[in-house]
Amino acid sequence: MSAAAPKKMGLPMATMLVAGNMIGTGVFLLPANLATVGSISSFGWIIATAGAVALGLVFARLGQIDPQPGGPYAYARDAFGPYIGFVSNYAYWFGNWIGNVAIALVVTGYLAHLVPALTPLLPRMAFTLLVIWGLSLANARGARWIGALETGTLLLALIPILFIAIAGWWWFDGSLFRAGWNVSGLGEGAAISRSASIALWAFMGVESAAVSAEVIERPRRNIPLATLGGLALAAGIYIACSLVIMGMLPMGELRDSSAPFAEAAQVMVGPWGAVAISLCAVFKSFGALGGWMLLVGQSAKAAAEDGLFPRVFCRTNRHGMPGAGLMIVAALMSALLLVTASPTLSHQFDQLTNIAVLLTIIPYLFSAGALMWSSLAREERGGARWLAMLAGGGAILYCLYALLGAEPQLLAYATVAMLFSAALYPFFMHRMREVAAARAAARGTGNAGVR
């Protein structure tokens, strides 16, 4: 008897996957990150949102033209060849699991408001490890389960988030907002650029539906709709929440906060509000981490099936999930958590998110270029070609702008990490050719060449 086909996500779940991954990765701690720049970051939000719309259009169109497992990796591979595909997956994979450690810290940071025993360093590390391994095991049980978790936790979290985004303006203090206008020590142009780079973290996940094409029903229809719908929902929530909180808390206090939403809720309605927000933040971040682990597993699986990643990452369990690869990622996340341990949670979160953003920009750049190349190769005309050129060009300009706003030391680290990928690529070339030859033989073409 053959095994039942794994259940896939429909449009509502795919939309919640996109919105949930974006909202869950930034909304609960991002105001503290932006507070290192100041309320001048409101201009950074305008730039970041415009760039995110361009990226959203890139992935929506690519998903409509040719939905493929692996998303950015697959698009870069098809447009520019296996080496660029390898580099794209290398950066995306590392960037995502590094960012996942930051999400796990959000779970612990907000839960510490309810359980103060988790505040010291050692209990915080121990509980975060428990979160990482628990969700890794849950992810191995199937994509539909993770889609349901994302949907439920996002709907739960939207209640208090929307409450602060809307009602928080009654507690908004314009003098606080102006007093913390630019606390970065940089010129205004550099401060805006820095905040736009930080805000890119908020929109990481816009490619979630494209990466998960293999586990989404009717991908040509649902990927574009889920991408743009999820982006619109997340952008509105992000901008409203970040700006209102900067007028409710002093910038110095906000900068060092490990739970800015809980502190804002306490200003509004007292201690019980902080408790409610903390609970919702824990559940939402828990769901978002599950969704991001799904993306890491699917991206690595697609590359491994092409021979461009260790083959252990494409071995699936009875639920159709790359279980062994997920466990390897959990081990790496655990090691990074311990290596970057910091007495201040917000500082550790800031370090991890900045590194993750820089690495993820690389596959975003390749995906934007892939859309432009695809439009030219398909000889599109009229509106379709103009959309491809505008979306791809806008996304490339925004990614480059975000790189310019990054901290020089972190940018240097990311550059070294990307150069290291060139030394790794030769180890995968032989297996890549074997896979290509096997596929060519299966098609009966006898053409085993690779680009």
Side-chain angles (χ1 to χ4, degrees), residues 253-275:
E253 179 183 333
L254 181 58
R255 182 183 59 234
D256 297 328
S257 174
S258 61
F261 271 76
E263 293 184 15
Q266 186 159 348
V267 169
M268 294 170 66
V269 294
W272 72 269
V275 171

Side-chain angles (χ1 to χ4, degrees), residues 351-397:
Q351 282 184 312
L352 293 169
T353 55
N354 285 336
I355 295 170
V357 164
L358 290 176
L359 289 173
T360 308
I361 284 175
I362 304 302
Y364 284 179
L365 278 168
F366 290 146
S367 295
L371 176 61
M372 299 173 76
W373 175 88
S374 174
S375 178
L376 294 173
R378 291 160 59 89
E379 297 184 351
E380 291 180 329
R381 293 288 184 270
R385 187 170 188 173
W386 277 108
L387 175 63
M389 294 299 132
L390 287 174
I396 289 172
L397 288 174

Side-chain angles (χ1 to χ4, degrees), residues 108-280:
T108 307
Y110 272 88
L111 192 60
H113 270 253
L114 306 176
V115 186
L118 293 176
T119 301
L121 182 61
L122 290 179
R124 185 210 311 163
M125 293 295 103
F127 184 80
T128 307
L129 287 172
L130 182 64
V131 170
I132 289 170
W133 283 96
L135 274 175
S136 296
L137 293 170
N139 224 294
R141 292 192 59 81
R144 190 171 177 84
W145 192 91
I146 294 299
L149 177 65
E150 279 272 33
T151 301
T153 55
L154 178 58
L155 292 175
L156 176 66
L158 282 178
I159 298 171
I161 289 173
L162 290 174
F163 174 68
I164 289 180
I166 297 170
W169 294 99
W170 292 98
W171 285 266
F172 182 85
D173 185 344
S175 62
L176 276 181
F177 190 85
R178 291 189 295 272
W181 180 248
N182 184 2
V183 297
S184 65
L186 303 171
E188 291 198 349
I192 292 171
S193 180
R194 175 68 57 82
S195 66
S197 180
I198 294 172
L200 178 57
W201 170 258
F203 295 110
M204 284 176 61
V206 68
E207 76 286 357
S208 298
V211 174
S212 307
E214 192 174 38
V215 294
I216 292 178
E217 297 172 351
R218 301 175 63 189
R220 289 184 188 276
R221 169 186 177 271
N222 289 342
I223 288 176
L225 293 175
T227 298
L228 297 178
L231 172 60
L233 179 61
I237 289 173
Y238 267 129
I239 295 172
C241 288
S242 293
L243 295 184
V244 74
I245 288 178
M246 285 184 175
M248 295 173 66
L249 300 172
M251 207 60 67
E253 179 183 333
L254 181 58
R255 182 183 59 234
D256 297 328
S257 174
S258 61
F261 271 76
E263 293 184 15
Q266 186 159 348
V267 169
M268 294 170 66
V269 294
W272 72 269
V275 171
I277 287 286
S278 296
L279 280 173
C280 290

Side-chain angles (χ1 to χ4, degrees), residues 299-381:
S299 177
K301 178 176 177 290
E305 287 173 344
D306 288 341
L308 290 175
F309 219 58
R311 72 179 71 207
V312 66
F313 287 93
C314 65
R315 294 175 186 164
T316 56
N317 58 22
R318 62 190 179 90
H319 302 289
M321 301 297 288
L326 288 167
M327 296 305 105
I328 293 173
V329 169
L332 291 171
M333 289 173 62
S334 302
L336 183 64
L337 174 73
L338 299 176
V339 167
T340 61
S342 169
T344 305
L345 184 144
S346 59
H347 177 67
Q348 187 176 9
F349 178 86
D350 187 53
Q351 282 184 312
L352 293 169
T353 55
N354 285 336
I355 295 170
V357 164
L358 290 176
L359 289 173
T360 308
I361 284 175
I362 304 302
Y364 284 179
L365 278 168
F366 290 146
S367 295
L371 176 61
M372 299 173 76
W373 175 88
S374 174
S375 178
L376 294 173
R378 291 160 59 89
E379 297 184 351
E380 291 180 329
R381 293 288 184 270

Side-chain angles (χ1 to χ4, degrees), residues 2-138:
S2 61
K7 294 182 178 179
K8 297 187 177 185
M9 291 183 280
L11 178 59
M13 282 189 177
T15 302
M16 290 301 180
L17 177 69
V18 175
N21 279 358
M22 284 192 283
I23 293 172
T25 57
V27 72
F28 290 112
L29 269 183
L30 194 66
N33 279 34
L34 291 170
T36 62
V37 177
S39 48
I40 194 175
S41 59
S42 53
F43 289 105
W45 270 119
I46 296 173
I47 297 170
T49 302
V53 169
L55 285 169
L57 290 172
V58 165
F59 288 110
R61 181 61 178 155
L62 286 171
Q64 185 180 44
I65 294 171
D66 188 18
Q68 295 195 60
Y73 153 71
Y75 302 137
R77 175 202 64 204
D78 289 351
F80 307 119
Y83 174 66
I84 298 301
F86 173 78
V87 172
S88 181
N89 181 69
Y90 172 90
Y92 190 78
W93 186 75
F94 271 96
N96 277 356
W97 69 256
I98 289 171
N100 285 352
V101 179
I103 304 173
L105 285 169
V106 175
V107 176
T108 307
Y110 272 88
L111 192 60
H113 270 253
L114 306 176
V115 186
L118 293 176
T119 301
L121 182 61
L122 290 179
R124 185 210 311 163
M125 293 295 103
F127 184 80
T128 307
L129 287 172
L130 182 64
V131 170
I132 289 170
W133 283 96
L135 274 175
S136 296
L137 293 170

